[in-house]
Amino acid sequence: MTSAEDLRRLALGLSGTSEAPHFDRIAFKAVRIYATLAPDRLSANLKFTPEEQEFKCLLAPEAFKPIPNAWGRQGWTVAVLSALSEEELRAALEMAWKHGTVKKKR
């Protein structure tokens, strides 16, 4: 079972990550945002590919679910912090962080 403090500690431990407000959330960004913490601090949105999202949601449906909108179809996924071990959260953050280290193609 992890918490918002665990998410923050693990995310800030990833190379180049900074923390900043993002609307009503807290964003974690390398080159691009790869994770945001919900205002209630109980869940986070993580950037996966659609294939990674499908895998995570099948593997642990109590912990991961697609965001129910266009962002979700792009791979953004809700992670329920209390349903994740620290190891699972670290792995998910590292996966999302890789997407946050790449500049957007124009």
Side-chain angles (χ1 to χ4, degrees):
M1 182 169 144
T2 57
S3 67
E5 290 74 26
D6 295 320
L7 174 98
R8 183 175 187 271
R9 176 178 49 79
L10 293 170
L12 292 175
L14 296 170
S15 180
T17 296
S18 61
E19 176 182 349
H22 183 70
F23 300 98
D24 61 339
R25 303 176 75 86
I26 297 170
F28 297 93
K29 174 182 179 178
V31 173
R32 302 177 68 195
I33 293 173
Y34 65 87
T36 62
L37 178 63
D40 64 9
R41 302 172 56 86
L42 299 177
S43 67
N45 293 344
L46 303 176
K47 175 59 175 146
F48 298 141
T49 66
E51 295 80 18
E52 291 166 341
Q53 177 191 71
E54 181 179 14
F55 176 75
K56 289 287 192 186
C57 293
L58 285 171
L59 185 67
E62 69 288 349
F64 298 103
K65 63 183 179 220
I67 295 174
N69 60 26
W71 289 104
R73 290 188 295 278
Q74 294 176 28
W76 282 94
T77 305
V78 176
V80 178
L81 298 175
S82 65
L84 294 167
S85 69
E86 186 166 324
E87 183 179 315
E88 292 166 327
L89 178 58
R90 178 181 287 112
L93 279 170
E94 288 173 355
M95 185 178 282
W97 170 81
K98 288 177 185 175
H99 302 296
T101 62
V102 179
K103 287 190 177 188
K104 188 175 184 176
K105 294 178 184 177
R106 294 190 179 223

